[in-house]
Amino acid sequence: MMALPAAQMSTAAAETKSEFKVCWSIYVGWMPWGYLQDSGIMKKWADKYDISVDIVQINDYVESINQYTAGGYDGCSMTNMDALSIPAGGGVDTTALIVGDFSNGNDGIVLKDKAALADIKGQNVNLVELSVSHYLLARALEGAGMSERDVTVVNTSDADMVAAYSTPDVTSVVTWNPLLSEIEAMPGSTKVFDSSKIPGEIIDVMMVNTETLADNPDFGKALTGAWYEVMGLLAAEDATALEAMATASGTDVAGFKAQLATTKMFYTPADAVAFTQDAQLPLTTKFVAEFLFDKGILGEGAPSPEFVGVAFPDGSIYGDAQNVKLRFDATYMQMAADGAL
């Protein structure tokens, strides 16, 4: 074995580690992360690879992504769009390790005392600004022959959304489950548009730091193996798992199942691999990058929608090949599909 120079040895030692932290926030497709921690399934898989993985819930979704981007966590649950705008746009090389689901009605627009999307014209619309809710609004308005100039966006934290809607002044919101179903159930509420109209565009992913993953493949294996064990439980409608996830998301089993029904979950790794390898994903990425660029949030001083490079499993790249900061990599999901974890 060839001896490494001292400087290289210290770098190599610093890159390999045995303790990892990932974070997540409340959303139907991400509830398994909390269950992984509480049930001991994550510990079982981490022990298999002689590492430890701590899974931490953060109540504010955008804050969770910011903490990951700042280096506080090795991974974080987020959408494809938010991964592109916040960590990748900010220069943090990020890999889509586990593509968990896409929203198929889980994100929606609700109007108070109005019944049609056209009625949104002239209203204040409360949403988490520059999030997938903002993207959903833009796609909805576009399809209805309107634009954002026809409404006024009011930035509202997801943690405050239900309380805001309960006040007389707030008449229109865009949000995600479980908040969406809670708001939709309130008197006078009508859901006028949801993500089932744009299937496959709002994708929910466990994103991890690319360098950390490259230096610590066992981290990727443990996370992926644990995830698909829980997917097996969900697919089989395991009563204990369903009850725990429903309670943690503030609903009952019937309510949680209703949210799952508007989520296209990839219960098997083979389905997740197929989606990640599909030719539609680069087209969706183009839509998303153009939205982010139009909003001025695709990285500081981005000269075009192609500022950030996004790599796909077939080796193709959307955007700048010299600035690839987001990677859809099916390697670990494929290992799960092959029973190789």
Side-chain angles (χ1 to χ4, degrees):
M1 179 178 154
M2 190 174 73
L4 288 170
Q8 281 183 251
M9 284 177 69
S10 62
T11 304
E15 290 168 347
T16 304
K17 59 183 192 172
S18 61
E19 296 181 0
F20 303 88
K21 289 199 307 179
V22 300
C23 58
W24 67 285
S25 56
I26 294 282
Y27 169 72
V28 58
W30 295 331
M31 298 315 296
W33 291 113
Y35 186 69
L36 276 166
Q37 179 77 9
D38 298 340
S39 66
I41 291 173
M42 186 69 255
K43 184 180 187 308
K44 181 183 81 173
W45 279 86
D47 286 350
K48 177 177 180 176
Y49 291 101
D50 202 25
I51 60 174
S52 71
V53 180
D54 192 23
I55 301 177
V56 180
Q57 180 190 337
I58 294 177
N59 287 332
D60 185 300
Y61 170 59
V62 174
E63 179 59 23
S64 72
I65 305 174
N66 288 339
Q67 289 194 30
Y68 160 78
T69 303
Y73 291 89
D74 301 297
C76 181
S77 60
M78 66 187 85
T79 67
N80 52 320
M81 190 188 97
D82 296 322
L84 184 54
S85 65
I86 304 176
V92 176
D93 199 322
T94 293
T95 293
L97 178 73
I98 301 165
V99 177
D101 69 85
F102 66 75
S103 177
N104 199 29
N106 251 330
D107 295 76
I109 302 173
V110 176
L111 300 186
K112 189 182 288 181
D113 301 325
K114 300 288 183 184
L117 178 60
D119 295 326
I120 203 170
K121 190 166 187 175
Q123 291 207 35
N124 289 341
V125 183
N126 291 66
L127 52 76
V128 178
E129 197 171 10
L130 310 178
S131 74
V132 290
S133 295
H134 206 153
Y135 176 76
L136 184 78
L137 176 66
R139 296 284 278 133
L141 292 171
E142 180 184 38
M146 292 183 279
S147 76
E148 214 176 302
R149 288 188 296 275
D150 293 304
V151 299
T152 302
V153 168
V154 179
N155 187 29
T156 308
S157 166
D158 52 317
D160 301 327
M161 197 66 70
V162 174
Y165 188 77
S166 303
T167 65
D169 291 347
V170 176
T171 58
S172 172
V173 300
V174 190
T175 190
W176 52 79
N177 272 324
L179 308 175
L180 177 63
S181 54
E182 196 174 338
I183 288 170
E184 199 183 348
M186 292 182 182
S189 301
T190 303
K191 185 172 68 177
V192 295
F193 187 89
D194 68 36
S195 52
S196 66
K197 306 285 199 304
I198 53 166
E201 292 188 30
I202 298 176
I203 310 164
D204 303 305
V205 186
M206 172 50 71
M207 296 285 182
V208 299
N209 183 282
T210 300
E211 291 174 23
T212 300
L213 180 64
D215 295 332
N216 302 275
D218 285 349
F219 168 53
K221 292 176 185 177
L223 266 187
T224 308
W227 174 262
Y228 285 112
E229 180 172 334
V230 173
M231 286 301 99
L233 294 175
L234 263 187
E237 298 198 344
D238 179 87
T240 303
L242 278 173
E243 181 73 42
M245 291 184 221
T247 301
S249 61
T251 186
D252 56 16
V253 170
F256 189 65
K257 284 184 174 179
Q259 292 173 32
L260 283 172
T262 51
T263 312
K264 173 56 180 172
M265 295 297 299
F266 297 120
Y267 289 114
T268 70
D271 285 348
V273 169
F275 178 84
T276 307
Q277 293 177 340
D278 193 278
Q280 183 61 39
L281 186 56
L283 297 176
T284 297
T285 299
K286 181 175 182 289
F287 271 146
V288 170
E290 288 171 350
F291 167 81
L292 294 173
F293 178 70
D294 288 345
K295 293 284 173 280
I297 52 168
L298 187 64
E300 198 170 335
S304 79
E306 300 186 353
F307 171 63
V308 178
V310 182
F312 300 96
D314 65 357
S316 65
I317 294 171
Y318 169 81
D320 186 353
Q322 303 305 309
N323 187 36
V324 174
K325 295 297 180 188
L326 183 59
R327 303 164 196 270
F328 285 92
D329 183 353
T331 301
Y332 290 85
M333 296 183 291
Q334 186 64 59
M335 289 173 77
D338 294 340
L341 294 174

